[in-house]
Amino acid sequence: MKLIIPENSDFSIDNIPFGIFSTPERTPRAGAAIGEYIIDLFELTNDGLKVDFDRSVFLDPALNRFIALGKNITVDFRIDIQKWLKQSLWSDKDFNRFFVPQESANMHLPVQIGDYTDFYASIEHATNVGMMFRDPENALLPNWRHLPVAYHGRASSIIPSGVNIHRPKGQTMPNGAEKPVYGPSRLLDFELETAFIIGRNSDLGQQISTGEAASYIFGMVLFNDWSARDIQKWEYVPLGPFLGKNFASSISPWIVTMEALEPFRTDTPKQEPEVLPYLQFEGQNSYDIELQVSIQAENEEESLVCRSNFKYMYWNMCQQLAHHTVNGCNVRIGDMMGSGTLSGPDESAFGSMLELSWGGKKTVALNNGLQRKFIEDNDTVIMRGFSQNGNLRVGFGDLKTKVLPAL
Ligand code: CA
């Protein structure tokens, strides 16, 4: 049987991202996406493609042990898959053993995430939020241009695409009220982000330099950092995000490797003033990745509400990792580092409803006359991301999450 890869597929032969899937017949295991199929890597390495490492890593319900083999193995393995696909040597009988239709599979979290950190690395987003919540004249706090600001998030509530969430409940202080109230959040929001997955352990006490950072990054996913703005606003001083953030965070199920994104390297924004030596870097350290957010109300069509790009991010991933470890904090395989909301320079590129509706002061138009200020019950938020250069396309697939009413 011939493998047909649709034109414009996110999962072209140039991509080969890794994830964890299951079907009624197959326990959760490692796969690689190609077109509308998943390659079962345990089956593939049985008799399709011979490997020198222990192929039982592909029967784990997480990619951690595969990633731990190291880039000197995983990078070559991805290339070998590409060669195998080009040769099309499988028999008709074997096709259904090697290739599983994506529509018949369940996707799971790709890695066991030990720790999760969320940066705040978009200057447009930080400026917008600073203007709304603090002082339009001094929107950025004094530290912002000198270090990549971040907080430690919660890993237990990270979910893959397709898992529904319930509107969170919590404590808020309504405008003009004298005491707080408890109930469902009224200002539920998405944050358009990406995240990178750590591919190599570091030691406690060890600093990772900007030059070494790339060897510690396995790949990237799309990331929706759900936020309850009313809970957040009341709780966040002085220690920062807590219950307004940790009720759910959604990620796309396929980890796109840094090698697949290599052709899309581009410059980062100019940094002024000059950063400290440990944050300086060489070469092009960003990637041209188009990012989109759509909202789909119940029984309605999707409406595109945001188009942004990863390349707008002020602090690049190598700087983020160098800063994260400058005090000797260690990182472990499977740790996830969120970018922070990736807003762009103009209004159509704002990566949250907070910014798109400017704090709820204006409405965001959806198709068919619908409008939103924040996310309503039974809305589905869909994020997409892809890099394209002529016929070369590498994408992340859909990140979809539906919001059900509060329990
Ligand atoms: Ca965030």
Side-chain angles (χ1 to χ4, degrees), residues 16 38 67 128 151 159 192 194 216 220 225 228 243 293 323 405 407:
I16 315 293
I38 299 167
I67 294 172
N128 287 339
Y151 70 96
I159 52 175
L192 170 62
T194 61
Y216 286 84
M220 292 172 64
D225 182 24
L243 302 178
V293 185
H323 185 65
L407 284 171

Side-chain angles (χ1 to χ4, degrees), residues 116 118-120 125 151 191 193 223 225 227 245 339-341:
Y116 143 55
D118 198 21
F119 284 87
Y120 191 53
H125 175 69
Y151 70 96
E191 287 189 337
E193 303 193 20
F223 176 40
D225 182 24
S227 301
K245 294 279 188 179
S339 59
T341 308

Side-chain angles (χ1 to χ4, degrees), residues 251-262:
I251 63 170
S252 55
W254 295 105
I255 305 179
V256 176
T257 63
M258 299 321 295
E259 290 71 33
L261 291 165
E262 188 61 31

Side-chain angles (χ1 to χ4, degrees), residues 31-174:
I34 182 74
E36 292 171 343
Y37 291 92
I38 299 167
I39 308 169
D40 183 324
L41 297 178
F42 185 72
E43 291 296 337
L44 173 70
T45 51
N46 182 31
D47 54 1
L49 185 61
K50 290 286 177 203
V51 291
D52 295 335
F53 54 85
D54 174 7
R55 55 189 270 276
S56 74
V57 296
F58 296 130
L59 284 184
D60 286 0
L63 293 169
N64 298 55
R65 208 155 58 92
F66 168 64
I67 294 172
L69 294 170
K71 283 212 187 205
N72 52 347
I73 287 176
T74 59
V75 168
D76 286 347
F77 179 61
R78 179 176 156 273
I79 294 168
D80 288 343
I81 294 174
Q82 290 171 322
K83 286 183 189 159
W84 177 79
L85 285 166
K86 283 175 183 157
Q87 289 170 339
S88 304
L89 290 179
W90 53 83
S91 66
D92 280 2
K93 184 171 69 68
D94 286 337
F95 187 90
N96 292 331
R97 190 159 58 85
F98 293 146
F99 296 100
V100 177
Q102 285 173 24
E103 61 184 13
S104 70
N106 263 326
M107 294 306 297
H108 304 266
L109 285 178
V111 280
Q112 188 182 358
I113 301 166
D115 281 298
Y116 143 55
T117 301
D118 198 21
F119 284 87
Y120 191 53
S122 153
I123 197 164
E124 288 85 3
H125 175 69
T127 303
N128 287 339
V129 173
M131 285 170 76
M132 273 184 267
F133 283 124
R134 287 186 303 272
D135 175 6
E137 300 299 312
N138 298 291
L140 289 181
L141 288 168
N143 59 7
W144 201 91
R145 287 174 182 271
H146 294 282
L147 56 88
V149 171
Y151 70 96
H152 283 124
R154 183 147 187 97
S156 68
S157 52
I158 297 175
I159 52 175
S161 177
V163 174
N164 299 334
I165 63 168
H166 287 275
R167 178 175 297 274
K169 291 184 285 193
Q171 189 180 129
T172 61
M173 179 67 106

